Each structure stands twice: as structure tokens, then as C-alpha cells.
Amino acid sequence: MTGSSGVWSFTPQVTLPIFQGGRLRSNLKMAETNRDQALTITKARYNHCISGQKIYEGMLISYTIYPFMMLPVQWETEITKVDKPFLFEDRQKSGPYESWHHRHQFCEIPGGVEMTDRIDYVMPMAMFGDLIDFLIVSRRLEEVFQFRRKKVEEILGTL
């Protein structure tokens, strides 16, 4: 995780054998189903409702997150770019961040696919927001992606 002046980038990456033998496009449906299962981010206390739906540009996704002491926060993101099966991006429409941009990228490699998430976000409230980021938000993001990595590995295995 890197950042300066309240702008943060977070880029977790996992390499897994999601697709075998270069069948990237033909196995997209299976990968989407497995992704939906892996994205049950219960540890981070996210409630979101896209499981089983195909994503498309302009799609709105509403979340209720519980970042601190079970206090609910409403969050809405919009899918702003879809280039199946290589990437999709979302941006916050409303929610806890001053800004949020999340790029989900899938790159075929020998024996599998490398999944990379790049998150660029800015916390509101200047220095107070930076403190909240340091104490809570950055750690929650790390937990979310550690949990997701574990679930994806349980479902799909590792290289």
C-alpha cells in the first residue's frame, strides 16, 4: 500500500489456476461463478448483492458495510468499464470515501490467471481521514483481500 497527501493505492495480487490450457474465454462463466462464491466477504462484514448477476457498464451496486463497531455505512459503486474477460472497473457514486476507483484485472499466465486489484482512494476530512485510514480502513482492506485470497485458493487451488 502506498500513499501521499491522503491519496492511497492498494494493489493486492493473486496468481491462481483459474483457467487451464489457455481457455480464457471459454471458462469465463465458471470463473465468474467461482468469483461470486469467493467474494462472500463475510469477514469484512460486507453485505452486497451482485452474486449471480452479469456485470455491465453502468451497473449500480449498493452495499452496507460495517467498518467500525457494527455501525452501518451505505455505499454505492458503479461499474464504469467492462472488458471481459480481461478487466472491469468500478467507482464510488456515494459512500464513505471522498473518491474510490477499483480496477479488477485478469491476465493469462502459463498454467492459470493472475488476478490483480488496484484500488485508488481518498479519505474525506483531511488529516482526520488519514488517521481513520491508518487505524481502520487500510487494515480492513488488507483483511478483505487476505480473506478473498484464502477463499479463492480454497475453491480453485494454487499454482
Side-chain angles (χ1 to χ4, degrees):
M1 182 152 15
T2 61
S4 65
S5 303
V7 178
W8 295 90
S9 287
F10 181 75
T11 311
Q13 184 171 328
V14 60
T15 303
L16 299 167
I18 296 174
F19 308 102
Q20 299 295 328
R23 291 177 265 147
L24 188 60
R25 289 192 188 276
S26 64
N27 289 327
L28 179 60
K29 181 64 177 164
M30 180 194 70
E32 286 176 337
T33 301
N34 290 335
R35 177 209 61 216
D36 288 344
Q37 292 172 354
L39 290 178
T40 353
I41 310 172
T42 53
K43 185 170 188 221
R45 298 184 185 101
Y46 280 76
N47 291 327
H48 63 93
C49 51
I50 62 168
S51 182
Q53 295 182 38
K54 291 189 179 212
I55 62 169
Y56 55 89
E57 289 180 15
M59 180 180 194
L60 298 177
I61 305 166
S62 297
Y63 309 79
T64 302
I65 59 174
Y66 298 87
F68 182 68
M69 296 184 66
M70 297 306 290
L71 298 172
V73 174
Q74 301 304 308
W75 191 18
E76 184 175 61
T77 59
E78 177 180 12
I79 303 297
T80 56
K81 183 175 184 178
V82 177
D83 182 13
K84 289 184 180 181
F86 305 106
L87 66 90
F88 67 97
E89 297 179 358
D90 60 87
R91 289 193 182 274
Q92 174 182 281
K93 296 240 347 153
S94 63
Y97 299 94
E98 187 171 312
S99 70
W100 169 276
H101 176 253
H102 184 181
R103 180 182 180 102
H104 313 252
Q105 192 160 358
F106 307 91
C107 181
E108 186 174 12
I109 60 170
V113 167
E114 186 173 79
M115 298 185 329
T116 303
D117 292 272
R118 180 182 170 100
I119 301 168
D120 296 309
Y121 67 96
V122 176
M123 295 295 296
M125 301 182 283
M127 289 178 59
F128 180 71
D130 289 344
L131 179 62
I132 296 300
D133 180 60
F134 175 75
L135 294 174
I136 300 171
V137 175
S138 62
R139 292 176 188 185
R140 292 280 191 244
L141 282 174
E142 298 236 12
E143 288 174 7
V144 165
F145 285 98
Q146 285 174 0
F147 180 77
R148 187 178 79 173
R149 180 186 187 114
K150 179 182 170 201
K151 287 298 179 187
V152 168
E153 287 176 349
E154 285 175 12
I155 293 167
L156 303 174
T158 59
L159 284 180

